[in-house]
Amino acid sequence: MADCFIYDAVRTPRGKGRASGSLHTIAPIDLAKTVLTAVVDRNELDSAVIEDVILGCVEPVKEQGGNIARVAALYAGYDQSVPGMQINRFCASGLVATNYAAARVMSGQSEAVVGGGLESMSRVPMGASRGPWATDPAVASETMFVPQGISADLIATLYGYSRRELDELSARSQDRAALAWKEGRFAKSIVPVKDMNGITVLDHDEHMRPGTTAESLGKLKASFTQLGEQYGFDAIAMQRYPQVERIEHVHHAGNSSGIVDGAAAILLGSKELGERFGLKPRARIKGFASIGSEPTIMLTGPADAARRALKKAGMGVGDIDLWEINEAFAAVVMRFAEDLGLDHDIVNVNGGAIAMGHPLGATGAMILGTLLDELERTGKSTGVAALCVGAGMGTATVIERVEA
């Protein structure tokens, strides 16, 4: 296989995913246009050399439907020869899009591909596509569907994670994100979102709550108690996991990922691309993988995905310097670190989605870019980005920084 290099990674700030959020007035295609334009302009690249644009999107309907990747590329001024493809693997969509783009390069079929993703959760709400997994009673019953919040609480119950532990992890995410912004650690990758008049609408992640403590989080009401107890989802989960006598509802708005808007793009290419255009490779894609896992508990797949990706890269857990795991829920991070035997000092060192938010289809590409920036900032070498995925899946990508 040929080497695939990351030449650039950009993202928008994350805007609060509601009508009062700064990015609510920005259409999804404009979020995509922002990052697609930036990744070409920053590298003074002729867009005609790009052989595909692959974008993840979890709710590909309404303003986000109609193969938004192709239309966004045209809207961003890319050459008409550049095709586009929109894909959906739920929360891992942005990372899977990037992996697919990398596979094109590694197979020798493409010289340059842009991967990434977008999601405007304030304009196209989560669940807008109304797929049968959650809405068709026969399908839901056969697959033992429960909402993800119930799955997160099930993980906490099964593995004995207390509400206090989860709140402490969440407060740490807030502290780390606030410090990262204060020290400008995201400055290299952030592309401000502007309106049609060129006025900046948002230039920072606005979901963060600096000063959050475990004590303040402890005052919040658990979010999924009613779903579990009154709507019967606890009973479904306990049918699948009969060793559980009672599900402890420990997740709430403060220790779960925030609902936000945003987009990200990653420029991937061959060694020859860099030589032709004078681009410096920043990292090498070493391996990637997606796996299926038990769909009721749903959120435990990232560790196995990481193991498979590492095996494909000829590496082990001990070879990795930094880890990024999407903070869908605090219990997901706890289980991932415990399963792989990781010290939290090398996991999500700049905070995560609990603090900054989780723009579904974009998050995977965002955390890969964050991982790369941090490897460069600290001079470390290797990293893994991973996400849990709805319906019981996991996706992971291994990268290695290219020395200056």
Side-chain angles (χ1 to χ4, degrees), residues 25 36 56 126 176 196 268 317:
T25 60
L36 292 180
M126 186 163 46
R176 289 178 173 183
M196 64 178 66
L268 301 120
V317 171

Side-chain angles (χ1 to χ4, degrees), residues 10 37-38 51 119 134 139 146 156 159 173 184 281 301 305 329 331 355 386 391 394-395:
V10 300
T37 300
E51 295 178 58
E119 206 80 34
V139 175
V146 300
Y159 295 101
S173 179
F329 299 91
T395 293

Side-chain angles (χ1 to χ4, degrees), residues 41 45 71 98 119 169 322 349 357:
D41 289 352
L45 191 65
V71 181
T98 302
E119 206 80 34
L169 183 150
L322 293 173
V349 298

Side-chain angles (χ1 to χ4, degrees), residues 294-324:
E294 198 283 302
T296 300
I297 202 166
M298 195 184 314
L299 309 174
T300 57
D304 285 340
R307 289 189 181 95
R308 182 176 292 184
L310 285 167
K311 183 177 181 180
K312 291 180 181 296
M315 302 169 73
V317 171
D319 296 320
I320 301 303
D321 297 319
L322 293 173
W323 300 78
E324 285 285 329

